[in-house]
Amino acid sequence: MPPEPWDGVRDAGSFGPTAPKPPYSEAFGKYLSDPDVPGDDCLNLNVWTPEPSRGVRLPVLVWLHGGALTRGSSAVPVYDGHAFARDGVVCVSVNYRLGVEGYGLFPDAPANPGLRDQLAALEWVHRSIEAFGGDPARVTLAGQSAGAISAGALIAAPQAQGLFRRAVLQSGPPEASDRDKVRRMVRRMAARLKVPATAEAFAAVDRDVLLRAQAEVGRLSSPVLGGPAFGIVADGDLVPRDPLEALVAGDVARDADLLVGWTRDEYRLWLVPGGLLERVDRLGALALAGAMARCHCGHEVPRGYRALHPGAGTAEVVGQMVTDHLLRVPLQRLAEGRPGPTYVYEFAWPSRLPDLGAGHGLELGFVFDSGDTPESAKLAGEGTPQELADAMHGAWVRFAETGDPGWQAWDDRHPVRVFGDGGGSDSGGDGMVHTAHGLRDGEFRLWETSSETAASPAQAAAAAQAVSELVADPDDPPPTSGPLPALLTARLARGAELRSAVRRLRRVTAARRH
């Protein structure tokens, strides 16, 4: 529904209300900022421009924030758009509905309302950005994590064609979640709230109570471990089919320029807070079995990762496996299969904070050139290299301006622009930027030749959920009648190592019961 017009001048000099969302846990709040601006009018956006005049026709970058579709907002200081405006790009950042209000799947409401909010913002940009000096024919839609997944869905949406020229997908591929998985999230919330699983019933629940139930049901959700989560679903309308399939088939966005990539150690932000890295290492073979369930792969994949990364611990093998399954392999498939030009990058500079490495989201302070903010330092530490920010932010500006970030598009040589590992310099950055060819081809080949497990998606989700519960509380393993031992024995225990892990789990459980 379009917003109601108003008379007179409206003060728009500060961030508008943020979408209702639960706060980050204490463990994640140590690294991530998530401002809460009170108010009901959360569907708003922000514009930074160097020249608010018609006829200037500057390139435009529309930013969709991440946060697993349950947290985040455009008010996060790391996303300040002043550096883009300083360098001649109009920057627009968008709020959208989150969690069950934005992505709950109900029988009495349309699917994907949060994604529809983003489409409405993109339509507003197309209609109105000229008044801010922008060119509606040069719009780059960009996002990170859940924002990248959203951008991927939008560039594949029939209703969004003509509203963008380019797209940036950072650490998130085009994808559609399993409808039953999202329904299970809603049903678990409904059971906890003791209301029917309908949009009407949920709308009558006090919002704070609703958010607490959402946080409790999603407590064990993790990209590495699985668990209940919200996601964009194919709805036959805005998302008529899986977005990745549509883009690879060339059905939509054939000529759009794409910039896609990831960080070297995505999984570390998912596992380091709360000490999960150490717990996964302690679980050993059982954690590897859970990763196989999560990734629907055979035992040859973890064996291959061990061979490619000798000396890596279990958590690193599990983390890189799941990162590749969820992010890198789909993005590589997108670059390989679509007809239009695609540029690929990897961010490799490690945080100055212990154990985080080049974790999920670390590149954002460099893309926005906002590394001097306290909120960026929460994840990156103090004293980040300005020359790396200049190189990365400059590449994003060039891409928004021309569609060419400064290195060759994906081709048979598989070029990947690497930011921050000191491997060489062919474009400034004081040795921090270089192009590598075939950077992760060894890992990609493992997935091309892997045999999938016989587990159904529901069984694999149950196994991954059981492992996530064990990781969350290693002193309280799941019962032997639960899904994990039976599934791992019947479906996933392909070798003596995994069978031994299952037997150990049973012995621990039996001893605990006696």
Side-chain angles (χ1 to χ4, degrees), residues 20 77 96 117 133-134 157 167 181 223 229 233 235 251 289 310 316 329 363 368 424 479 492:
Y96 53 94
D117 297 339
K181 179 180 179 180
V233 298
D235 57 15
D251 295 345
E316 182 176 352
V329 170
E363 86 283 11
F368 281 87
L492 300 176

Side-chain angles (χ1 to χ4, degrees), residues 178 180 184 292-297 452-464 483 487 490-492 494:
D178 180 69
D180 287 338
R184 285 195 295 272
M292 290 167 58
R294 181 86 172 102
C295 299
H296 308 282
C297 67
E452 292 195 355
T453 69
S456 69
Q459 289 172 318
L487 179 61
R491 304 289 190 185
L492 300 176
R494 301 299 189 194

Side-chain angles (χ1 to χ4, degrees), residues 199-210:
E200 181 181 17
F202 274 50
V205 176
D206 177 83
R207 182 167 278 159
D208 289 338
V209 174
L210 193 70

Side-chain angles (χ1 to χ4, degrees), residues 288 297 299-312 316-325 328-329 440 442-447:
L288 287 172
C297 67
H299 65 279
E300 66 274 15
V301 172
R303 286 180 180 173
Y305 275 75
R306 291 284 198 199
L308 288 170
H309 303 280
E316 182 176 352
V317 171
V318 167
Q320 295 291 7
M321 273 180 59
V322 176
T323 297
D324 286 349
H325 171 69
R328 295 190 186 115
V329 170
R440 295 190 175 272
E443 289 90 341
F444 292 155
R445 280 192 290 269
L446 291 173
W447 297 98

Side-chain angles (χ1 to χ4, degrees), residues 252-462:
V252 286
R254 290 183 58 88
D255 300 322
D257 308 310
L258 295 190
L259 171 58
V260 305
W262 48 75
T263 70
R264 186 188 61 195
D265 308 310
E266 299 273 4
Y267 69 96
R268 286 189 171 268
L269 181 65
W270 304 328
L271 291 183
V272 168
L276 295 182
L277 199 72
E278 294 81 1
R279 293 182 189 178
V280 171
D281 269 334
R282 289 202 303 270
L283 284 173
L286 188 58
L288 287 172
M292 290 167 58
R294 181 86 172 102
C295 299
H296 308 282
C297 67
H299 65 279
E300 66 274 15
V301 172
R303 286 180 180 173
Y305 275 75
R306 291 284 198 199
L308 288 170
H309 303 280
T314 298
E316 182 176 352
V317 171
V318 167
Q320 295 291 7
M321 273 180 59
V322 176
T323 297
D324 286 349
H325 171 69
L326 294 179
L327 301 181
R328 295 190 186 115
V329 170
L331 288 173
Q332 184 259 0
R333 183 180 170 217
L334 179 65
E336 193 79 37
R338 68 181 299 268
T342 303
Y343 300 87
V344 180
Y345 75 90
E346 175 167 303
F347 182 80
W349 183 83
S351 170
R352 300 197 187 280
L353 301 179
D355 299 323
L356 284 180
H360 189 66
L362 185 60
E363 86 283 11
L364 291 169
F366 296 85
V367 168
F368 281 87
D369 192 11
S370 57
D372 58 351
T373 63
E375 291 78 11
S376 180
K378 288 177 69 173
L379 190 59
E382 300 289 345
T384 56
Q386 182 59 45
E387 64 270 23
L388 182 58
D390 292 342
M392 198 166 198
H393 174 73
W396 266 238
V397 168
R398 286 192 297 273
F399 183 72
E401 289 176 339
T402 68
D404 183 351
W407 64 93
Q408 61 265 46
W410 188 268
D411 57 20
D412 292 342
R413 297 180 66 201
H414 297 179
V416 178
R417 193 67 155 180
V418 182
F419 291 93
D421 74 345
S425 176
D426 52 34
S427 182
D430 194 24
M432 288 190 167
V433 181
H434 71 285
T435 299
H437 292 88
L439 180 65
R440 295 190 175 272
D441 283 3
E443 289 90 341
F444 292 155
R445 280 192 290 269
L446 291 173
W447 297 98
E448 291 171 359
T449 59
S450 171
S451 59
E452 292 195 355
T453 69
S456 69
Q459 289 172 318

